[in-house]
Amino acid sequence: MSATLSPTMGATPTKRVMSVKARWGRIGVYGFLTITALFFLLPLYVMLVTSFKELEEIRLSSIFALPQNFTLDAWKVAWSSACTGLDCSGLQVGFWNSVRILIPSVVISVLFGAINGYALSFWKIKGANLLFACFCLGHSSLSGVYLPVDSRLRRYRNLWNAYGCCGFTRYLRHAIMTLLFRNYYSTLPMELFNAARIDGAGFFKVFFTIMLPMSVPIIIVAVIMQVTNIWNDFLIGLVFAGNDNLPMTVQLNNIVNTTTGERAYNVNMAATILTSLVPLIIYVASGRWFVRGIASGAVKG
């Protein structure tokens, strides 16, 4: 008995041929992305090569030229002996001040934002979205009116330290964190909460045992946003941290603007890179988590 073969059996799969228009479109997209990347990486390249040069070479050579005598002296000076006014201790003091401000601010703002977002995600009354938008708008606008308040509170000197700056920073970032977590928790099914309530779990037990473990993607997004905003903040640290707790950004400004004789461009560039190193490392190390968290918070169930 002979078997009949269908025309498709044993046939070689055909390769999908890309049209000329699609091919040129892809080339255009990759070309645009390459040019954009080079445009944004060019300042970083100039800063890096300048920080590895000596002052004599900076004066005589092009800013785009590679260093002929590679040296790390500018980095050592920026970290340990650059002058920030009358103090010549470098950026290391400001680094630890920034860490003292950063860690409590991030932990407190993310935790309180998660709790508030969790509570407001169940607020289903009529006009809740409008009221929530007004809340976030009013809360965020406070960041522009705190300087007059500062003039009234200047007599309370014990408020101006790293912990006072942490509290104020947490307060200003509170609305953004609440908005972020509220949008994320709104996508979760209510059946999870209802089942836990039937089992006897209360508000905080449901939050810490069920909701918080499911919030890892959006927590990573919140941490990245907070670390970037708080670490790079200049004005709040300048006003509220106090003279003994100035963060790294304020110390960088003092180094750049403190000139005794010849301006050390290599030290300024090295100090700038050192100041921005923490957010850069966090972005590079957790970039895929950031995209995943943003995508998970944007999907509505």
Side-chain angles (χ1 to χ4, degrees):
M1 185 175 179
S2 61
T4 59
L5 297 176
S6 64
T8 58
M9 292 181 63
T12 304
T14 59
K15 214 172 182 182
R16 185 177 178 182
V17 180
M18 184 183 297
S19 64
V20 177
K21 185 177 180 180
R23 187 182 296 113
W24 280 107
R26 179 170 295 184
I27 293 174
V29 169
Y30 283 115
F32 172 76
L33 293 176
T34 302
I35 295 173
T36 304
L38 292 175
F39 176 78
F40 285 104
L41 289 175
L42 184 61
L44 179 60
Y45 168 78
V46 173
M47 291 168 61
L48 279 173
V49 297
T50 303
S51 66
F52 295 134
K53 294 177 182 179
E54 297 178 348
L55 285 177
E56 185 69 21
E57 186 177 352
I58 294 174
R59 288 195 299 267
L60 299 178
S61 65
S62 170
I63 61 173
F64 301 108
L66 293 173
Q68 298 178 359
N69 298 318
F70 186 88
T71 177
L72 294 175
D73 292 342
W75 292 75
K76 297 176 183 178
V77 172
W79 178 255
S80 60
S81 60
C83 293
T84 58
L86 299 178
D87 184 20
C88 294
S89 301
L91 284 174
Q92 55 183 340
V93 178
F95 173 80
W96 295 114
N97 289 338
S98 293
V99 171
R100 290 171 56 199
I101 294 172
L102 177 72
I103 295 178
S105 299
V106 171
V107 173
I108 295 174
S109 61
V110 172
L111 180 60
F112 276 78
I115 294 175
N116 285 346
Y118 163 64
L120 291 173
S121 65
F122 299 107
W123 195 21
K124 304 297 183 182
I125 64 173
K126 186 177 181 180
N129 291 333
L130 178 61
L131 292 175
F132 181 71
C134 293
F135 160 75
C136 289
L137 180 63
H139 208 299
S140 300
S141 64
L142 291 175
S143 58
V145 298
Y146 61 84
L147 287 178
V149 178
D150 168 60
S151 63
R152 293 286 184 176
L153 297 177
R154 275 293 179 181
R155 59 181 178 272
Y156 300 107
R157 290 294 178 181
N158 58 334
L159 293 177
W160 311 124
N161 51 37
Y163 301 104
C165 187
C166 291
F168 201 84
T169 303
R170 185 214 66 80
Y171 184 73
L172 291 181
R173 310 294 180 193
H174 183 64
I176 302 299
M177 293 295 101
T178 301
L179 175 64
L180 196 66
F181 280 97
R182 189 256 187 183
N183 290 342
Y184 180 79
Y185 289 136
S186 297
T187 65
L188 300 179
M190 284 291 296
E191 288 76 11
L192 290 173
F193 177 77
N194 294 333
R197 292 301 299 268
I198 292 174
D199 291 338
F203 178 86
F204 285 104
K205 187 174 182 180
V206 173
F207 174 74
F208 285 106
T209 60
I210 298 178
M211 297 298 180
L212 202 59
M214 298 176 61
S215 308
V216 175
I218 203 66
I219 288 176
I220 294 176
V221 173
V223 169
I224 293 175
M225 291 178 61
Q226 290 297 83
V227 168
T228 304
N229 291 330
I230 295 172
W231 187 272
N232 292 333
D233 190 86
F234 172 79
L235 191 57
I236 295 177
L238 176 65
V239 174
F240 292 96
N243 294 330
D244 297 330
N245 303 284
L246 294 176
M248 208 171 183
T249 50
V250 180
Q251 300 280 17
L252 172 64
N253 176 75
N254 294 340
I255 289 176
V256 173
N257 291 322
T258 298
T259 304
T260 54
E262 187 178 16
R263 185 176 292 274
Y265 290 104
N266 51 356
V267 175
N268 294 345
M269 297 299 180
T272 303
I273 297 174
L274 285 172
T275 304
S276 60
L277 207 56
V278 171
L280 284 175
I281 292 174
I282 291 178
Y283 264 116
V284 172
S286 56
R288 64 187 184 93
W289 291 99
F290 183 81
V291 175
R292 185 180 301 177
I294 289 293
S296 63
V299 176
K300 301 299 180 182

